[in-house]
Amino acid sequence: GAVVSQHPSWVICKSGTSVKIECRSLDFQATTMFWYRQFPKQSLMLMATSNEGSKATYEQGVEKDKFLINHASLTLSTLTVTSAHPEDSSFYICSASGPGADTQYFGPGTRLTVL
Amino acid sequence: SQQGEEDPQALSIQEGENATMNCSYKTSINNLQWYRQNSGRGLVHLILIRSNEREKHSGRLRVTLDTSKKSSSLLITASRAADTASYFCAITRGTSYDKVIFGPGTSLSVIP
């Protein structure tokens, strides 16, 4: 089946630094990728939709200047959390959709801890 | 909000019992999916049921969908301690290129 990977699986950073998270579709071309955030004991909340070669579409309340998304190729989307603060600590999950897919395929997630 | 509700929020049962979780949503859908998530881990896709389907089975899992009531249920039969996890329903209104909207989830504890 289709596989989506994320890197890193976890990251700890200091407040004020920027962190980049990668999402890759390993065996299919993903024209659309999605980024979700999940706080402890809560559900996944969609942050943005990323289409290859175009600007991401952000959900209401998500700061596009803080969460930079780049979908430069059909197999890679990146989420950069700029000037991270402790409240950005969360589990970030991406998903990808490809041609003919019934559903999206989810990555294993990246746990971000901002000190 | 398009986001659905899940019922119950938490469920604790003895090993061997059946577990039923319900999900309701507010909009028309193309399909509904159930996912499992162990604590601190990624999502595991369980079942996808399309809007024109009423019931699907996969091993010990049985999912029903009632589009007239905008609701779905997930039944886990003969539960095991390893089934302990959070379970989420998620809806898609259009194709797989459209966003997936997750319900709040049900936390299931199966006591050995």
Side-chain angles (χ1 to χ4, degrees):
Chain A
V3 177
V4 175
S5 70
Q6 283 184 238
H7 178 79
S9 56
W10 60 270
V11 57
I12 301 173
C13 70
K14 293 182 179 179
S15 187
T17 60
S18 294
V19 175
K20 181 184 285 188
I21 302 169
E22 294 184 347
C23 176
R24 291 183 185 274
S25 56
L26 298 185
D27 50 4
F28 66 102
Q29 292 186 329
T31 51
T32 304
M33 290 184 170
F34 302 83
W35 287 96
Y36 296 82
R37 180 168 54 184
Q38 184 181 33
F39 291 109
K41 299 190 184 302
Q42 294 188 25
S43 186
L44 282 75
M45 296 299 294
L46 180 67
M47 299 175 67
T49 302
S50 166
N51 291 298
E52 187 265 337
S54 63
K55 290 183 178 180
T57 302
Y58 290 81
E59 294 297 301
Q60 192 173 8
V62 178
E63 301 173 60
K64 61 181 181 182
D65 293 331
K66 181 168 184 62
F67 299 99
L68 301 179
I69 292 172
N70 185 287
H71 192 161
S73 77
L74 286 172
T75 58
L76 174 65
S77 176
T78 60
L79 168 69
T80 301
V81 183
T82 62
S83 187
H85 290 282
E87 57 265 30
D88 298 322
S89 298
S90 187
F91 195 49
Y92 292 86
I93 303 176
C94 72
S95 69
S97 179
D102 258 345
T103 182
Q104 297 170 18
Y105 302 99
F106 284 83
T110 296
R111 183 158 306 281
L112 170 64
T113 301
V114 184
L115 303 176
Chain B
S1 167
Q2 298 173 5
Q3 192 170 16
E5 297 295 324
E6 286 178 69
D7 165 45
Q9 291 185 346
L11 178 61
S12 183
I13 60 173
Q14 295 288 329
E15 200 166 32
E17 294 180 337
N18 295 342
T20 300
M21 289 160 267
N22 302 297
C23 168
S24 62
Y25 54 92
K26 299 179 182 179
T27 68
S28 60
I29 63 170
N30 184 44
N31 64 58
L32 183 146
Q33 301 170 67
W34 285 90
Y35 291 86
R36 184 184 75 224
Q37 185 181 38
N38 290 85
S39 181
R41 307 292 293 274
L43 296 175
V44 175
H45 184 260
L46 298 177
I47 287 184
L48 178 151
I49 185 166
R50 294 183 176 83
S51 60
N52 61 354
E53 297 174 315
R54 293 296 168 258
E55 187 171 314
K56 284 189 86 167
H57 296 254
S58 177
R60 294 184 295 112
L61 307 180
R62 172 177 169 251
V63 167
T64 63
L65 178 64
D66 187 335
T67 52
S68 66
K69 295 181 179 178
K70 291 186 168 54
S71 67
S72 174
S73 68
L74 169 67
L75 169 67
I76 303 174
T77 60
S79 63
R80 305 167 182 168
D83 295 328
T84 295
S86 291
Y87 291 82
F88 297 94
C89 70
I91 60 171
T92 302
R93 296 190 64 187
T95 68
S96 63
Y97 297 98
D98 292 325
K99 56 188 176 183
V100 175
I101 301 169
F102 284 82
T106 294
S107 177
L108 173 66
S109 296
V110 181
I111 303 167

